[in-house]
Structure formats: C-alpha cells, structure tokens
Amino acid sequence: MRLISLLNHYQRYPGFVYEKARLCRETQTIEISIRPRRGSRPVCSSCERPATAYDHLSLRRFEFVPLWGCMVVLRYHMRRVDCRTCGVRVETVPWGVGKHQLTKAYMLFLAHWARKLSWQETARSFRSTWEKVCQSVEYVVQWGLEHRQLAPIAAIGVDEIQYARGHKYLTLVYQIEQQCTRLLWIGRERTTESFGEFFTLIGEELAGQIEFVCSDMWQPYLTVIRERCSRAIHILDRFHIVAKMNAALDQVRAAEARRLAHDGYEPVLKKTRWCVLKRKANLNEHQRFRLRDLLRYNLQTARAYLLKEDFQQLWDYQSPQWAGKFLDDWCAQVMRSRIEPMKKVARTLRSHRPLLLNYFRAKKQISSGVVEGLNNKAKLTMRKSFGFRTFRVTEIALYHALGRLPEPDVAHRFY
Ligand SMILES: [Zn+2]
C-alpha cells in the first residue's frame, strides 16, 4: 500500500511497523494499524527504560494528522510491561502522550494553527472540537514551560489586563529586551501576593540580575518591585502616564460640555473628543480646524489641552536634572490652573517623581512601548478566542501566543 510507504518515509517510529491502512468510506476515516517490530522490547512508561512484555491491552485509537480531508486514526494494542524497578506498567509509545487520545504530531499540528486562527476556527478547519484544540495547546504549553530557559533576564515590564468581563484582573510579566520580548508569567489578581509569586518562581539569583523594571503606578506593583528587585532601575511606564493625562483631559471636556449645554450655550465642544485626545500630528484637516476653533474660546478644556501638549516636551529631555526641572515647573503651573482632574495628575506625578526621572537615567534604553504592544496582543488573543472563561484556559492561551516557548521535537512537522 502506497500510504504505508509514505508514512514510513515521513513518520517512522523505531520499534514499530505500520501493518495495513484502510479507508472507511462511511465515516471518511483512514485507519492505520500498527504493531511492534518483531524482537523489539516495549518501554516502561514510568522509567522510560526497555522492559519485558507482560500482556496486551485492548485496542487503542490515536488521532493522527488528517489527510485529504479524512480523519486518520492509528490503531494499536497497547502492551503492558513487567518492569524490574516499577512492576507492571503500561508501555509508552512514541506517537502518543500519556492518556491523550491525540497523537503528538496531531497536537503540535493543531496547536500550531491555533496560534494563527481562533481555537474555534482551528477546530472547524480540521473537523476537530474546541476541547481537543484546547488539550493540544495545553500539552504544547505545558511542555514548553517545563523546558524553557528563563535566564538571563535583564529587563522586565509588568502590567495588568482585564479579563472574564467585570472587574477581574491578571498580572502579566514580560521580558522586554531588544533580543527577547516574551511573556514570562501570568498571575491571578493584581495584588502584592500575586506579583510576588513571579519573583518566587525565578528565585533570588535571577531577580538580582534584573537591571530594569518597567511598571505603571499601581501601588502593589511598586511595593513588590521595591522589596524584591531593589537593585534594578525602576521606570514608570510612559504609555500609562500619557493615558492618565488623556483620561483627565477627557473628564474635563465631558464635564464642561455638560455644563455649557445646561447653561444654554452653543455646543462648541460637541464632537471634539478626538481633536483633543489625539496627538496634534495625527489629526486630519477637519479636526485641526475644529481644534483651532476650540482654542479660541476661553474654556477649561482648551487650557487643559495646552497643558497636556506642553507636557509632551518632557520626553525630549536627555538629562534627568533638566527633565526634573521641567516637571516641577509644569506641575506648579498645573496646580495654579484650578482644573481639578489635571491637578490630580500633577499630584500623582509629583509623588512618583524619582521613578519618572529614572526614564532619563536609563537613557531611554527601555521603551515601554514594548509592554504596550505585548498587552495589545494579549487583549487580541483573549478577544479572538471567546470561550476563555476560566483562568486556566486564559493562561495557556496567553502563554501559547506570547510566551515564545520551545516545542517538543517530532520526526516530521506536518505544517
Ligand atoms: Zn519502569
């Protein structure tokens, strides 16, 4: 049979031979029988050493990579071995993994596609089920986590992400070096305990080698970094500061728009949200006109906008001293502005002044844009794969998409 010689070419398992292949037209399944090669010894599944055969178990079916739209099933009578050290055990077979119904090759195949398509689409494309795709990804991720190399880690970024609808958060820790950006760890919640677990995982020695840590202003993170990673330069995430500023500005604008409408004024603030939130360079012509128009009125929104634009200069500084001076001047100006949301931002920045200036001490080497990019990918992964309701499934999906984990070796890759 031609199919058998094809299989022998691409996927030969030492110690076993393909016996016969049969197409079942009704179920569109290709069934391939396997038997042990004469004189070969079975391998004990506990200690991975050859042992003497003891008896045969009933037939087991393993799903293999589909071919020409047909399901492919390997049929094999598992043997039990009488192992000198472990006693009577089931043998281990090179195409299977423990009690999994899918072969290793097929699980790698499904996991590979699950990174490109959603899990549902993967299942549909290969006539499998969501559960089987999930199992495959879980196997690959588990293997990857056990075999990945953590060291060396020079720079990490920590961020939180919302999941499972409602106010549940995950803590994500990324490695953010130029040569290596990957998701290192996922924790439940965003507490000191959950983030602390990451440092427990990597151990004190690795933690001591970390040079840069990038985070937002979330207090539990700041506390953990100070305690567990005190030698590293701690940098506040630029992206989060800009986001805070924009949130404040939006608050000012919305409140003022309501007030103007209430007092019966012309709705000058209507549809100006993006005019003031976007960077000036990114505005289209119409928005630029609206903005210029807006700035002519003596509105709180206009003043808050100018303060925000002014603040952007901070990032151009080279020396921490001059950046610090600029920051102090800016904060003083805001405190006189009587715009409460902006004053709140200024107070926050003041209280984190040293961390903020670490950005310049680190010579801008660490761009927190990396964290932002990874977080966007994480959000996309979660959105793409509806059905991630449990923490466990969310966890493996994120590791799979962003962990850059090593993969088990197989004789032939079917993708
Ligand atoms: Zn054994």
Side-chain angles (χ1 to χ4, degrees):
M1 180 108 183
R2 290 277 162 78
L3 181 61
I4 299 264
S5 53
L6 207 65
L7 278 165
N8 274 326
H9 185 75
Y10 282 115
Q11 193 75 57
R12 186 199 289 277
Y13 298 113
F16 299 88
V17 287
Y18 296 107
E19 210 166 27
K20 56 175 191 264
R22 191 174 76 85
L23 171 69
C24 174
R25 283 175 207 281
E26 248 169 67
T27 56
Q28 294 222 338
T29 308
I30 300 171
E31 303 213 323
I32 298 161
S33 308
I34 297 182
R35 65 167 173 78
R37 191 179 290 280
R38 214 149 280 153
S40 76
R41 297 178 74 200
V43 174
C44 164
S45 59
S46 294
C47 64
E48 304 277 327
R49 276 194 296 238
T52 29
Y54 179 74
D55 62 359
H56 280 272
L57 297 173
S58 54
L59 185 77
R60 241 184 95 176
R61 297 158 59 88
F62 298 86
E63 274 179 52
F64 195 69
V65 183
L67 209 58
W68 301 302
C70 293
M71 194 172 167
V72 178
V73 171
L74 304 183
R75 295 155 46 95
Y76 179 71
H77 284 278
M78 299 289 282
R79 289 171 288 178
R80 286 202 299 174
V81 301
D82 188 7
C83 176
R84 253 189 239 163
T85 35
C86 320
V88 175
R89 287 282 185 286
V90 180
E91 71 173 320
T92 182
V93 288
W95 58 83
V97 184
K99 288 194 166 57
H100 278 284
Q101 199 190 334
L102 313 186
T103 55
K104 203 152 105 180
Y106 191 28
M107 287 203 279
L108 278 168
F109 178 87
L110 285 179
H112 169 81
W113 284 103
R115 203 181 271 133
K116 301 184 183 295
L117 309 170
S118 80
W119 292 11
Q120 199 65 55
E121 283 166 332
T122 308
R124 225 175 289 138
S125 304
F126 302 105
R127 295 197 200 170
S128 191
T129 61
W130 189 90
E131 282 73 24
K132 283 179 183 172
V133 174
C134 179
Q135 271 174 33
S136 305
V137 176
E138 185 169 26
Y139 160 68
V140 169
V141 166
Q142 194 76 48
W143 194 96
L145 288 176
E146 279 161 20
H147 293 83
R148 72 174 167 173
Q149 177 116 32
L150 280 172
I153 305 173
I156 59 167
V158 56
D159 207 350
E160 76 246 347
I161 191 168
Q162 225 175 345
Y163 93 112
R165 253 179 265 157
H167 293 281
K168 278 191 184 169
Y169 286 91
L170 301 176
T171 297
L172 304 186
V173 181
Y174 304 104
Q175 184 167 5
I176 51 166
E177 289 145 53
Q178 236 154 31
Q179 310 79 357
C180 182
T181 58
R182 58 176 172 165
L183 174 65
L184 285 176
W185 187 79
I186 304 164
R188 272 178 213 257
E189 312 292 333
R190 44 172 183 169
T191 59
T192 44
E193 289 79 34
S194 60
F195 186 29
E197 279 169 36
F198 166 72
F199 288 101
T200 311
L201 167 83
I202 64 169
E204 251 170 60
E205 201 192 325
L206 260 187
Q209 289 165 7
I210 297 176
E211 292 171 55
F212 301 104
V213 184
C214 186
S215 81
D216 63 5
M217 287 174 268
W218 181 245
Q219 194 55 49
Y221 293 166
L222 303 183
T223 313
V224 174
I225 293 167
R226 208 170 44 230
E227 281 172 12
R228 310 284 294 258
C229 205
S230 53
R231 282 186 47 232
I233 298 183
H234 182 180
I235 304 154
L236 281 189
D237 198 76
R238 176 175 161 179
F239 160 71
H240 278 103
I241 295 166
V242 174
K244 252 194 166 56
M245 194 84 69
N246 277 338
L249 179 56
D250 202 33
Q251 217 181 327
V252 174
R253 193 196 61 85
E256 195 164 44
R258 268 198 307 274
R259 205 161 52 234
L260 289 179
H262 180 262
D263 297 348
Y265 284 100
E266 243 186 295
V268 280
L269 283 173
K270 215 169 178 187
K271 295 198 178 152
T272 53
R273 181 151 192 254
W274 293 109
C275 300
V276 294
L277 290 185
K278 266 187 177 173
R279 296 297 316 273
K280 216 175 190 172
N282 299 336
L283 295 177
N284 65 31
E285 205 176 340
H286 173 70
Q287 288 171 324
R288 238 185 334 255
F289 273 123
R290 287 300 307 267
L291 180 65
R292 209 167 58 196
D293 203 29
L294 183 70
L295 292 178
R296 285 213 313 262
Y297 296 90
N298 184 24
L299 291 171
Q300 270 202 352
T301 309
R303 277 179 285 140
Y305 171 80
L306 292 174
L307 286 170
K308 182 200 95 164
E309 279 298 298
D310 200 21
F311 184 78
Q312 299 297 342
Q313 288 177 47
L314 174 73
W315 310 113
D316 299 333
Y317 281 93
Q318 298 296 330
S319 94
Q321 283 75 28
W322 286 105
K325 189 173 176 322
F326 173 85
L327 183 67
D328 295 340
D329 290 348
W330 186 87
C331 287
Q333 198 189 343
V334 173
M335 293 315 280
R336 285 192 302 266
S337 74
R338 278 181 278 165
I339 307 173
E340 194 44 46
M342 294 303 279
K343 282 165 80 175
K344 202 172 148 209
V345 172
R347 277 196 290 269
T348 316
L349 294 181
R350 261 184 186 169
S351 66
H352 296 101
R353 188 178 186 274
L355 297 186
L356 200 57
L357 295 183
N358 275 347
Y359 174 73
F360 305 93
R361 285 195 191 97
K363 300 267 181 282
K364 304 180 184 178
Q365 277 178 49
I366 297 301
S367 129
S368 57
V370 178
V371 177
E372 193 196 343
L374 285 164
N375 238 16
N376 285 339
K377 261 195 202 163
K379 277 181 204 151
L380 190 73
T381 304
M382 291 176 32
R383 210 176 314 139
K384 206 168 72 172
S385 316
F386 39 87
F388 292 176
R389 287 192 193 91
T390 65
F391 173 70
R392 177 72 190 140
V393 176
T394 310
E395 191 183 26
I396 63 168
L398 288 174
Y399 274 129
H400 188 51
L402 302 166
R404 281 178 154 225
L405 298 173
E407 279 187 2
D409 284 326
V410 279
H412 176 75
R413 291 198 181 277
F414 289 84
Y415 49 83

